[in-house]
């Protein structure tokens, strides 16, 4: 999670606030996608976690999922045998254009 700060001359500076590790093997194996809470860690890893975020990740179209699986297999990922999910981690960059924080 980054905080974008407008710097001098219109340049934006990103400050790393925290990070998370998400196993994306389940995303590729389950057609419904991922849904759950993920712990956020400090970049320096001085504490186990500082917060959590609820994520829901899925593909808008099944063809997108199939393309990602083909690409992952081309990079050496091997789908785990069903129903076990003991997959390696994949790296994925996600852009967030809006965020919703519910009133409690």
């Amino acid at each position: 999670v980054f905080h974008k700060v407008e710097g001098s001359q219109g340049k934006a500076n990103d400050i790393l606030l925290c990070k998370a590790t998400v196993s994306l093997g389940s995303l590729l194996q389950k057609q419904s996608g991922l849904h759950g809470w993920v712990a956020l860690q400090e970049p320096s890893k001085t504490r186990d976690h500082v917060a959590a975020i609820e994520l829901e990740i899925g593909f808008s179209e099944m063809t997108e999922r199939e393309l990602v699986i083909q690409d992952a297999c081309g990079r050496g990922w091997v789908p785990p045998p069903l129903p076990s999910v003991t997959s390696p981690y994949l790296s994925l960059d996600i852009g967030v254009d809006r965020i919703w924080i519910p009133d409690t």
Side-chain angles (χ1 to χ4, degrees), residues 82-101:
L82 295 174
S84 172
V85 180
T86 56
S87 61
Y89 292 93
L90 299 173
S91 178
L92 179 68
D93 293 329
I94 300 173
V96 178
D97 59 354
R98 64 186 169 115
I99 187 167
W100 173 73
I101 301 174

Side-chain angles (χ1 to χ4, degrees), residues 15-71:
I15 300 171
L16 179 61
L17 300 176
C18 53
K19 60 184 180 176
T21 301
V22 179
S23 173
L24 297 178
S26 300
L27 176 64
L28 299 179
Q29 188 173 8
K30 296 179 183 178
Q31 292 184 1
S32 60
L34 293 176
H35 181 87
W37 288 90
V38 177
L40 298 174
Q41 295 119 3
E42 288 183 354
S44 61
K45 293 188 177 185
T46 56
R47 291 188 276 176
D48 287 340
H49 66 278
V50 294
I53 187 170
E54 186 176 18
L55 292 179
E56 185 171 343
I57 304 171
F59 295 102
S60 59
E61 297 181 23
M62 290 307 295
T63 55
E64 292 175 350
R65 178 178 174 266
E66 293 167 7
L67 290 172
V68 171
I69 290 173
Q70 288 176 359
D71 187 51

